[in-house]
């Protein structure tokens, strides 16, 4: 076993010598000697050792870094859970198992959620994106989750507005509190598409980007008094009233224009002098007849 461990031999010569010796001696070597030669070959080619070990165990080559640092897999209440809380993430990580039902990405540095970020998770039911720095949400951020996602937490971010399309088709309960909302029509439409998490409605407050008179107000209380989209509860009636007023105003304008035209026309006619009818000429026969009668 010391044949190829001599330090003065070049590695190439060592391997060649070992191969020749194995061809000549292997039939007569004991099992112990054959194992010794195999170990010598592995020591001379250390790069092959992990590969051979994987093959011998029937596994697959592990993927370094497949599991994001600070993340781990757990089972909570019998459901597959993937936790990446406070992991310092700036993007949605790769390597999330496909059978994940609960995904926690809270307390990281996520600034946006791109389109289709979770479409490879066909059974995802709960998603926590709270306490990040989200300022942008793609209209297709939750694409592929229409039939499974039930709970979504977007609280404590930097969202001023979100696209209505991001929540189309979702049957979810969402937490939108603690964001600097612009309090616009888009947010009002979003609230018509989703259900708010219990107790989170009071935390939806208008931020600095809203109208000056709305800053600091609770959005739900605001929508009870003011319709931001011109439709919906109370908005339809207002639109109908406005249309009716416009129609009536148009008719009144036409009537007034007709009356003014009529008055001016009569006024012009009264100013004109009366014309006398022209005298009919007396024919000679009529004159002679008249004389005879007289």
């Amino acid at each position: 076993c010391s044949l190829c461990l001599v330090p003065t031999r070049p590695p190439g010569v060592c391997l060649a010598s070992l191969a020749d010796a194995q061809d000549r001696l292997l039939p007569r070597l004991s099992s112990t000697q054959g194992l010794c030669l195999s170990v010598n070959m592995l020591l001379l080619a250390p790069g092959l050792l992990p590969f051979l070990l994987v093959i011998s165990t029937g596994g697959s080559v592990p993927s370094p870094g497949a599991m994001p640092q600070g993340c781990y897999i757990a089972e909570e209440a019998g459901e597959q859970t993937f936790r990446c809380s406070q992991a310092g993430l700036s993007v949605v990580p790769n390597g999330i198992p496909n059978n994940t039902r609960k995904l926690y990405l809270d307390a990281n540095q996520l600034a946006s959620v791109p389109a289709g970020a979770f479409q490879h998770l066909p059974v995802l039911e709960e998603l926590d994106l709270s306490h990040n720095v989200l300022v942008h949400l793609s209209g297709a951020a939750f694409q592929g989750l229409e039939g499974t996602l039930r709970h979504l937490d977007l609280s404590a971010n930097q969202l001023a507005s979100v696209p209505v399309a991001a929540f189309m088709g979702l049957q979810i309960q969402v937490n939108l509190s603690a964001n600097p909302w612009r309090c616009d029509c888009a947010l009002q439409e979003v609230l018509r598409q989703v259900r708010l998490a219990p107790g989170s409605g009071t935390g939806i407050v208008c931020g600095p980007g809203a109208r000056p008179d709305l800053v600091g107000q609770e959005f739900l209380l605001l929508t009870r008094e003011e319709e931001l989209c011109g439709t919906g509860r109370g908005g339809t009636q207002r639109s109908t009233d406005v249309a009716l007023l416009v129609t009536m105003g148009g008719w009144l304008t036409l009537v007034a224009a007709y009356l003014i035209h009529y008055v001016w026309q009569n006024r012009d006619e009264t100013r004109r002098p009366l014309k006398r009818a022209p005298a009919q000429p007396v024919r000679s026969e009529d004159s002679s007849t008249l004389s005879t009668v007289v």
Side-chain angles (χ1 to χ4, degrees), residues 5-294:
L5 297 180
V6 179
T8 57
R9 282 184 178 273
V13 175
C14 175
L15 287 172
S17 301
L18 181 58
D20 294 340
Q22 188 172 6
D23 290 341
R24 287 184 284 104
L25 299 178
L26 188 57
R28 296 175 302 206
L29 288 175
S30 63
S31 60
T32 304
Q33 289 173 325
L35 179 62
C36 178
L37 291 175
S38 299
V39 170
N40 281 335
M41 292 181 67
L42 291 176
L43 291 175
L44 290 172
L48 296 176
L49 183 58
F51 181 74
L52 293 176
L53 289 176
V54 169
I55 293 177
S56 65
T57 58
S60 58
V61 180
S63 176
M67 179 75 67
Q69 186 176 2
C71 303
Y72 63 92
I73 300 174
E75 186 172 336
E76 300 179 3
E79 295 184 341
Q80 183 84 357
T81 302
F82 193 79
R83 283 192 174 272
C84 283
S85 303
Q86 299 181 347
L89 301 174
S90 58
V91 295
V92 176
N94 296 320
I96 303 174
N98 293 343
N99 61 342
T100 299
R101 292 187 177 274
K102 295 183 179 181
L103 176 58
Y104 294 90
L105 299 176
D106 54 300
N108 284 287
Q109 298 298 316
L110 301 178
S112 65
V113 179
F118 310 102
Q119 62 182 358
H120 64 289
L121 305 175
V123 295
L124 187 64
E125 298 178 356
E126 183 173 341
L127 176 60
D128 190 347
L129 294 169
S130 64
H131 295 88
N132 279 278
V133 290
L134 290 176
V135 294
H136 174 69
L137 201 64
S138 169
F142 309 114
Q143 183 179 5
L145 304 179
E146 292 82 1
T148 60
L149 192 63
R150 295 292 178 266
H151 301 277
L152 175 64
D153 195 342
L154 292 171
S155 63
N157 280 283
Q158 297 299 315
L159 293 170
S161 184
V162 290
V164 180
F167 303 94
M168 296 295 291
L170 296 177
Q171 303 297 323
I172 59 173
Q173 186 180 80
V174 64
N175 187 344
L176 299 173
S177 62
N179 282 282
W181 295 109
R182 193 176 296 125
C183 292
D184 53 5
C185 175
L187 180 58
Q188 188 170 7
E189 291 295 335
V190 166
L191 295 183
R192 290 177 180 147
Q193 298 290 334
V194 301
R195 292 179 296 111
L196 293 178
S200 66
T202 56
I204 304 177
V205 179
C206 302
R211 282 170 19 201
D213 59 319
L214 303 182
V215 175
Q217 295 191 34
E218 293 183 17
F219 186 72
L220 293 183
L221 296 178
L222 176 64
T223 54
R224 295 174 185 174
E225 302 175 357
E226 182 177 354
E227 183 64 38
L228 300 177
C229 294
T231 58
R233 185 179 61 185
T236 304
Q237 184 63 37
R238 292 191 186 96
S239 300
T240 304
D241 294 342
V242 170
L244 182 60
L245 289 175
V246 171
T247 304
M248 292 179 61
W251 280 107
L252 290 175
T253 302
L254 291 176
V255 172
Y258 175 77
L259 290 176
I260 292 173
H261 174 73
Y262 179 78
V263 169
W264 278 101
Q265 185 178 9
N266 291 341
R267 185 177 179 183
D268 291 341
E269 291 181 355
T270 56
R271 290 181 178 180
R272 295 175 185 173
L274 294 176
K275 296 181 179 181
R276 296 181 179 179
Q280 295 293 332
V282 180
R283 291 181 297 180
S284 58
E285 296 178 356
D286 296 340
S287 299
S288 61
T289 304
L290 182 61
S291 301
T292 304
V293 171
V294 172

